Amino acid sequence: MSLSSSPFPALPSLPFSPCRPRPPRPKLRLAAVSESRARDAPRLESDRARRTFGHSELVKKVSGAENGGLDVLYDDGFGAVSVKDYFDAAKAIDKPDGGPPRWFCPVECGAPIRDSPLLLFLPGTDGVGMGLILHHKSLGKVFEVRCLHIPINDRTPFEGLVKFVENSVKNEHAMSPDKPIYLVGDSFGGCLALAVAARNPNIDLVLVLVNPATSFGKSQVQPLIPILEALPSNLHVTVPYLLSFIMGDPVKMAMASVEDNLPILQTFEELSNSLTSLLPLLSDLADIIPRDTLLWKLNLLKSGAAYVNSRLHAVKAEVLVLSSGKDNLLPSGDEADRLWASLKNCKVRYFKDSGHTLLLEDGINLLTILKGTITYRRSRRHDNVTDYLPPSVSDFKTIHQSDRWFKVATSPVIFSTLKDGRVVRNLAGVPDKGPVLLVGNHMLIGLELRPIYEEFLREKKVIIRGMGHPVLFSKATETSRKEISTIDTMSIYGALPATPSNMYRLFSRGSFVLLYPGGAREALHRKGEEHKLFWPKNPEFVRMAARFGATIVPFGVVGEDDIVELVLDYDDQKNIPFIKERIEEMNQDVGKIRVGVDDEISNQQLYFPGLLPKLPGRLYYLFGKPIETRGMDILKHRKNANVLYLQIKSEIERIISYLKRKREEDPYRNIIQRTLYQASWGYSAKVPTFDP
């Protein structure tokens, strides 16, 4: 929904809306514009209808009802805007009009999906409010986005800005008390967000802090303040070039406007053109942040950091800190360490090669980060089923790009079995509609997972909800320097904790569920146990599937022994004293998935296996003939459930044996042969394999 403060000056052709008032409507979102006008602020709504995006031929239209209203592989619009657009928009909006701070709604955000939470963007030192411009379209799909604009000549002190944001938060909370409010604070905005959270511990806030300026006392800019104060006005034109090293890596910002997957020479040419057009824009910083304004903002940073640091103990909100390793303005990495240790509910994602202006850099998609860190929710508690957002086209491309070398090295081969028993090299044998339960064998550390998720998305436009060990999604895996991880990627693709209630709810919604009955015992197996099944005695999943008439598809995968060698397993590591202590510490607070069961599978200790890479062979998958549970007499007769359970296990063992035998016939099992083939036919060509 839209929101405004005092009447916004008419600025034609701007990429935002001053949010014209509309007639009141029940349950419409409201935020304060100033303390004096808070009680009388009108209810407002956007007059911007939801825009529809054209999908490429790759994207098959799928109902978004099960995904909060978004289609699988929806177009999030990310990548359509560059840093040049930021400078253009900043110059257009940053005019001295004598007005107070205000909210505006970026027009390109459009209308979000149903029940979307509010996101308030709190800008950095520039105060313009356009720092999210690269993310407006993607965030606008799932948030009601409002951005704070602080005019050039505004001299509202830090506490005044805190009260301004606080009033908006309180009014929004009064309208929707069961919904979270997101505060995305960039640099100085991070201080504002923390201050509001400290003053309002009983309001459900989610803070996303991007290189927060709480460490300004240790900034390299501190010694420059006296110099800037003494600098003659006619020399202020040199300040933009001083600020340019603060902004971040210009190459990374220029790359934001360069298309992916271009040939190397064309990539360099596009980057050169983008960089050439970007560098002259740095002189515009002198207009965006004049001398007096810059001095005021630097002192505002100083007072804001001091205010917040004395109140960190009062922050109860959920916090996600995004910190950069090459921040020339603030010691953001060290500050992330401090905040992670000081705040009670804090996660960190560390970007070691990024600069201070993280949100303006290439490859940083804020919504993708929120998905991967499971930070998006629409109620007081995150719901793994209803709050899940499907991967977008840009998510898929980004993850696929990061995985490309693994896929080139392992060249996965995926088969399925048709109803007549024929084996085909695609997923035609897997049902198109759920509920479907995929049951198979785990390879070491889940090496087989990504190709499965990606192939189902690419070929069937289906999301697989993989059931994982709950510890993977807990704070036990978090650190103060955690980078984007495989767990984040799996969360984007649909992974969630393995619990009976999650499986029940997924089946009730007709989802595709991926289950490994052997769980961590198979994923962390010992030496010599490759491709072996370690299943519990009880048919835990069969009766659940039968309750909803789900189709069970058994599958097997082999190839781990051609990719890595296990050199230090659990038995080896528990005999090394200091490693044994670390394993015991790691497993101290890990709960059991199967409560009341005491066996080898339930008691599996979590550890990090010692691996050595091999000259890679190939991964082989085979999905067996689907098993229809609808109409089976399973729910009333446990004996029938046991029979089906053993039948599924036997079928997976048969598939594994079949694949191990047939791979011997593959002339392209060795990477050298595959490389020679692709050198002749192109690296996008599908490499042949054995005849099934």
Side-chain angles (χ1 to χ4, degrees):
M1 300 299 170
S2 300
L3 177 70
S4 176
S5 63
S6 58
F8 208 91
L11 297 174
S13 304
L14 292 182
F16 59 87
S17 168
C19 311
R20 295 188 299 272
R22 300 276 299 219
R25 208 171 74 175
K27 296 185 180 180
L28 206 55
R29 296 195 179 280
L30 177 71
V33 296
S34 68
E35 288 188 87
S36 61
R37 298 178 58 193
R39 296 185 301 273
D40 303 319
R43 296 178 180 181
L44 304 161
E45 66 173 332
S46 173
D47 58 357
R48 178 84 171 175
R50 183 189 299 241
R51 302 190 305 117
T52 46
F53 294 87
H55 287 250
S56 65
E57 292 184 359
L58 170 72
V59 183
K60 175 182 175 183
K61 277 291 187 180
V62 180
S63 172
E66 301 302 324
N67 304 308
L70 295 173
D71 294 334
V72 177
L73 296 181
Y74 68 99
D75 184 355
D76 63 359
F78 184 76
V81 179
S82 70
V83 179
K84 184 178 182 298
D85 295 298
Y86 162 77
F87 282 102
D88 291 341
K91 286 191 295 182
I93 188 176
D94 207 24
K95 305 294 183 183
D97 57 21
R102 68 204 68 173
W103 300 106
F104 68 89
C105 307
V107 170
E108 60 268 29
C109 287
I113 58 175
R114 179 172 48 87
D115 293 330
S116 295
L118 175 69
L119 184 151
L120 300 177
F121 175 64
L122 310 178
T125 310
D126 63 344
V128 175
M130 299 302 295
L132 271 186
I133 191 167
L134 271 64
H135 310 268
H136 284 166
K137 291 182 180 179
S138 56
L139 291 175
K141 295 283 187 180
V142 296
F143 288 104
E144 293 185 18
V145 179
R146 301 170 192 167
C147 303
L148 176 63
H149 173 64
I150 305 173
I152 293 177
N153 296 327
D154 180 77
R155 296 296 181 264
T156 304
F158 183 77
E159 288 194 48
L161 292 173
V162 170
K163 290 179 181 178
F164 176 83
V165 177
E166 183 180 59
N167 284 336
S168 300
V169 167
K170 285 182 175 179
N171 279 292
E172 175 65 26
H173 177 67
M175 295 293 295
S176 303
D178 296 325
K179 281 189 180 182
I181 301 171
Y182 283 72
L183 301 181
V184 177
D186 185 11
S187 188
F188 169 71
C191 293
L192 281 177
L194 284 167
V196 172
R199 291 161 59 106
N200 298 275
N202 296 322
I203 295 180
D204 185 12
L205 298 175
V206 181
L207 311 187
V208 182
L209 310 178
V210 186
N211 294 321
T214 44
S215 62
F216 186 70
K218 302 174 183 178
S219 171
Q220 301 178 52
V221 177
Q222 280 271 30
L224 298 178
I225 296 179
I227 299 175
L228 290 173
E229 289 175 341
L231 191 71
S233 300
N234 61 335
L235 293 181
H236 182 66
V237 292
T238 63
V239 172
Y241 301 98
L242 172 66
L243 293 176
S244 64
F245 91 95
I246 291 174
M247 285 282 291
D249 186 347
V251 175
K252 279 184 167 288
M253 290 190 287
M255 279 296 295
S257 60
V258 178
E259 291 185 30
D260 296 328
N261 302 319
L262 293 177
I264 294 178
L265 291 178
Q266 189 176 351
T267 298
F268 278 118
E269 182 181 350
E270 292 289 330
L271 174 59
S272 176
N273 294 336
S274 179
L275 197 57
T276 301
S277 63
L278 173 64
L279 292 178
L281 295 174
L282 293 175
S283 61
D284 294 334
L285 287 172
D287 298 323
I288 296 172
I289 313 178
R291 176 179 177 274
D292 292 342
T293 299
L294 178 60
L295 289 171
W296 168 261
K297 292 292 179 68
L298 291 176
N299 285 299
L300 201 61
L301 276 172
K302 188 176 180 179
S303 62
Y307 182 97
V308 170
N309 286 324
S310 64
R311 294 166 173 80
L312 276 182
H313 63 279
V315 176
K316 311 295 183 187
E318 178 182 355
V319 179
L320 172 63
V321 177
L322 308 182
S323 65
S324 298
K326 294 183 178 180
D327 187 341
N328 293 321
L329 174 62
L330 302 168
S332 293
D334 293 340
E335 185 65 3
D337 296 339
R338 186 178 76 93
L339 293 175
W340 187 75
S342 303
L343 300 174
K344 297 178 180 179
N345 186 11
C346 181
K347 293 180 183 178
V348 174
R349 287 301 177 268
Y350 182 61
F351 301 85
K352 61 181 180 182
D353 296 321
S354 293
H356 184 67
T357 52
L358 183 67
L359 296 177
L360 293 176
E361 290 190 5
D362 174 54
I364 305 297
N365 186 333
L366 182 55
L367 182 57
T368 301
I369 295 171
L370 296 180
K371 292 177 183 178
T373 54
I374 316 177
T375 308
Y376 182 82
R377 55 187 172 90
R378 284 172 276 194
S379 57
R380 285 193 171 273
R381 296 185 62 183
H382 176 79
D383 189 307
N384 288 299
V385 177
T386 58
D387 285 331
Y388 173 70
L389 299 174
S392 65
V393 171
S394 65
D395 292 334
F396 184 80
K397 287 180 179 179
T398 300
I399 297 172
H400 177 73
Q401 188 76 1
S402 67
D403 280 351
R404 67 188 185 281
W405 294 117
F406 179 79
K407 295 197 68 176
V408 168
T410 59
S411 186
V413 179
I414 299 180
F415 297 100
S416 66
T417 308
L418 303 178
K419 290 185 177 180
D420 60 8
R422 287 185 297 123
V423 176
V424 294
R425 190 179 175 182
N426 52 42
L427 294 174
V430 179
D432 294 322
K433 294 183 179 180
V436 170
L437 176 62
L438 307 173
V439 183
N441 64 302
H442 234 335
M443 291 205 302
L444 193 62
I445 62 171
L447 285 170
E448 80 288 353
L449 281 170
R450 287 196 181 188
I452 293 178
Y453 282 108
E454 289 191 16
E455 194 60 27
F456 269 82
L457 276 172
R458 179 186 290 105
E459 184 176 334
K460 301 186 82 68
K461 310 302 177 289
V462 163
I463 295 170
I464 295 177
R465 304 304 308 272
M467 310 295 284
H469 197 296
V471 74
L472 298 176
F473 307 92
S474 70
K475 194 171 182 179
T477 64
E478 296 294 331
T479 70
S480 63
R481 296 290 178 108
K482 184 174 181 180
E483 300 180 35
I484 299 296
S485 66
T486 299
I487 298 174
D488 293 349
T489 300
M490 294 299 100
S491 297
I492 293 170
Y493 275 157
L496 73 170
T499 66
S501 61
N502 280 343
M503 185 177 289
Y504 182 96
R505 296 177 65 211
L506 289 171
F507 280 149
S508 68
R509 296 165 68 90
S511 301
F512 280 61
V513 178
L514 173 63
L515 179 68
Y516 293 101
R521 179 62 184 86
E522 288 178 4
L524 300 174
H525 63 68
R526 275 68 157 179
K527 294 176 183 176
E529 294 179 346
E530 300 87 358
H531 308 131
K532 289 186 178 180
L533 299 185
F534 296 90
W535 283 23
K537 296 178 181 179
N538 297 324
E540 299 169 319
F541 61 84
V542 171
R543 290 169 61 82
M544 181 79 78
R547 178 183 294 273
F548 293 94
T551 301
I552 300 176
V553 182
F555 74 91
V557 54
V558 302
E560 159 200 329
D561 52 340
D562 277 350
I563 297 173
V564 295
E565 182 177 355
L566 179 58
V567 293
L568 278 177
D569 64 8
Y570 175 73
D571 294 333
D572 296 324
Q573 295 188 26
K574 72 178 183 180
N575 293 323
I576 304 173
F578 73 93
I579 297 182
K580 180 183 178 181
E581 291 177 6
R582 195 173 74 174
I583 292 175
E584 290 175 350
E585 182 181 345
M586 183 191 310
N587 287 272
Q588 203 168 33
D589 300 321
V590 175
K592 289 184 178 181
I593 296 181
R594 300 173 177 87
V595 180
V597 179
D598 187 21
D599 57 19
E600 180 186 20
I601 301 171
S602 299
N603 295 325
Q604 169 65 39
Q605 297 287 294
L606 303 182
Y607 76 103
F608 297 104
L611 306 175
L612 282 178
K614 291 182 176 181
L615 189 67
R618 208 168 186 184
L619 294 179
Y620 301 89
Y621 303 75
L622 173 57
F623 291 85
K625 193 173 180 179
I627 301 171
E628 300 280 353
T629 63
R630 191 178 302 277
M632 286 189 175
D633 192 10
I634 291 176
L635 295 177
K636 295 181 180 179
H637 298 88
R638 186 173 293 274
K639 182 179 179 181
N640 292 344
N642 290 332
V643 170
L644 181 57
Y645 181 76
L646 294 176
Q647 176 189 336
I648 294 169
K649 183 179 179 183
S650 177
E651 174 64 6
I652 294 172
E653 291 173 332
R654 183 197 68 79
I655 290 173
I656 291 172
S657 298
Y658 169 83
L659 290 174
K660 289 172 68 177
R661 184 179 71 255
K662 292 293 289 184
R663 69 177 176 175
E664 301 293 336
E665 303 174 10
D666 185 359
Y668 297 99
R669 180 179 175 184
N670 187 284
I671 190 173
I672 297 175
Q673 297 301 320
R674 296 198 301 272
T675 302
L676 292 174
Y677 180 89
Q678 291 177 316
S680 301
W681 296 94
Y683 282 91
S684 60
K686 181 182 287 188
V687 180
T689 186
F690 60 80
D691 186 357

